[in-house]
Every structure is written in C-alpha cells, then in structure tokens.
C-alpha cells in the first residue's frame, strides 16, 4: 500500500502555467519519471481550453488531445482555439 509521504516529491513540483492547483508541474514531474508512450491526452470539462486547463501545456509541447466540453459558450471558445481542421486536437461537445 502506498503512503502519502511517498508522494511528497510531487508537492514540491507543483507549478501553474494554465492549471489551477499546480497540476502543470505535477503532470510534468510524473512524465519525467515514467516517460510518455504516445503523447496523447484527454480533458473532460476542457472549458475554453486555456483557463485552468490541465492539458494546454501538453498540447503546447506537441501532444495530441481530445478535449470535451458540454457548455455551448465555452465550447465555442474551444473551437476557436482549436478549429476542426487542427490535426492534433479534436474537440467534442
């Protein structure tokens, strides 16, 4: 069984670029440790694709993504950021 103290190294790596609670740095630290097999990510509740995004930094680094957003206004902003002809980012409503 894992113990919370085993994950303290992640707490030190918290960093926000687009995320809200340090997820950008935590995600970076995890992939530095385990590597990335295919560089695909998915975000449910992607909003506008920028504000509090946990995938925007990965996309900026060349990852492909599926971004899902139910809210019509937010989805329109997401589609403006990643038009339908974008070959790396697919958006779904």
């Amino acid at each position: 069984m894992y113990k919370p103290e085993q994950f303290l190294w992640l707490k030190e790596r918290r960093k926000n670029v687009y995320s809200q609670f340090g997820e950008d740095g935590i995600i970076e630290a995890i992939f530095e440790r385990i590597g990335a097999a295919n560089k695909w990510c998915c975000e449910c509740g992607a909003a506008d694709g920028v504000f509090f995004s946990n995938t925007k930094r990965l996309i900026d680094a060349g990852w492909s993504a599926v971004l899902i957003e139910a809210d019509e206004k937010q989805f329109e902003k997401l589609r403006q950021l990643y038009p339908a002809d974008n070959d790396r980012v697919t958006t779904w409503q």
Side-chain angles (χ1 to χ4, degrees), residues 31 38-43 54-56 58-59 63-67 88:
F31 283 115
N38 62 26
K39 295 195 176 182
W40 269 91
C41 58
C42 177
E43 186 159 16
N54 292 322
T55 55
K56 175 78 167 111
L58 296 172
I59 294 166
W63 288 48
S64 297
V66 175
L67 304 177
R88 285 190 309 108

Side-chain angles (χ1 to χ4, degrees), residues 7 21-22 25 27 39-40 47 58 61 68-69 75 83 92:
F7 300 98
F21 296 110
I27 291 168
K39 295 195 176 182
W40 269 91
L58 296 172
I68 303 165
E69 177 54 51
F75 184 73
W92 287 85

